[in-house]
Amino acid sequence: MSQWDPAARLSYWAFHANRRPVYMRFAYLQLGSDTDAEEAVDATFDSIMGDWLRMLHMDRLDAYAWTVLKHCLVDRRQRRHPWQQEPEPMDISAFEAALKEAHADQYEVLTDTIRFYSAVSRLAERQRDTVLLRYGLQCTPGEAASVMGVDEPTVRSYLGQAHRRLARLLDTCADPADASEPAEPAGS
């Protein structure tokens, strides 16, 4: 980095300052550990730093950086759980959500949250990423698009696909006892 011109150095640090907070929050949702998230994000920025001068000439610098983050998350998860094939995002978030909801039935909140996160984990990767960014991290569609390095209409499309898939998954995951009860007639 010491051989970089001042503009390249400044642009890297601006990118770092802008992306690190959302990368950390996303990594935490994926890994469930501050330490693992920190290590994955540090590895991401180490890799980005090594490629920064080349990245400055890319059309989709953000998309490349997002891909680097995703690879670092997979590497971190595999080192932590080498036997686990599929990612399980937000594995402890359900418990955190239940604890935050002091006035609600904590068991119901916990089971609903686990059901939802289980359904989210079954989405296609890009759909899952957009759902986590939009609803898990409260990013606007524009912010999610910027972080992922795609256009906002692409994020909106992924969200629409995810909503339809989640509706099907959550409908089929409903309690079998609920499914056996006859539906209320309309107008009752």
Side-chain angles (χ1 to χ4, degrees):
M1 185 183 263
S2 62
Q3 288 84 13
W4 293 3
D5 66 63
R9 246 190 326 273
L10 186 61
S11 66
Y12 172 80
W13 288 114
F15 180 83
H16 184 278
N18 182 274
R19 290 293 184 255
R20 185 171 179 80
V22 72
Y23 282 13
M24 282 296 298
R25 292 180 8 235
F26 186 83
Y28 178 77
L29 286 178
Q30 292 292 307
L31 301 171
S33 157
D34 288 333
T35 302
D36 287 340
E38 183 89 30
E39 288 176 8
V41 171
D42 285 347
T44 299
F45 280 104
D46 288 347
S47 181
I48 289 171
M49 184 187 296
D51 288 340
W52 188 252
L53 297 178
R54 185 175 60 84
M55 288 174 65
L56 288 174
H57 301 288
M58 294 180 177
D59 290 334
R60 295 284 187 165
L61 180 144
D62 287 311
Y64 182 82
W66 183 253
T67 301
V68 172
L69 172 66
K70 299 288 294 201
H71 285 288
C72 288
L73 292 172
V74 168
D75 289 345
R76 186 82 196 90
R77 191 179 303 110
Q78 286 176 341
R79 268 190 262 134
R80 195 173 80 192
H81 301 293
W83 60 91
Q84 186 176 344
Q85 296 290 0
E86 291 295 315
E88 299 209 12
M90 305 176 286
D91 52 359
I92 65 167
S93 298
F95 299 101
E96 291 174 349
L99 294 175
K100 289 179 186 175
E101 296 290 329
H103 302 296
D105 177 8
Q106 291 183 350
Y107 177 76
E108 187 175 326
V109 170
L110 180 62
T111 56
D112 287 349
T113 305
I114 289 171
R115 239 178 96 229
F116 176 73
Y117 290 153
S118 175
V120 168
S121 73
R122 295 172 58 194
L123 294 173
E125 182 179 4
R126 289 295 187 152
Q127 293 172 12
R128 185 173 55 244
D129 290 351
T130 55
V131 166
L132 295 179
L133 287 167
R134 177 72 179 102
Y135 301 108
L137 301 182
Q138 306 300 310
C139 292
T140 66
E143 292 166 339
S146 177
V147 168
M148 294 174 68
V150 298
D151 297 322
E152 188 172 339
T154 302
V155 166
R156 290 186 190 282
S157 175
Y158 289 149
L159 286 171
Q161 293 166 5
H163 287 167
R164 289 186 294 278
R165 176 90 168 121
L166 285 171
R168 286 191 307 273
L169 289 170
L170 292 172
D171 186 45
T172 60
C173 294
D175 184 6
D178 294 339
S180 65
E181 295 178 17
E184 269 305 300
S188 293

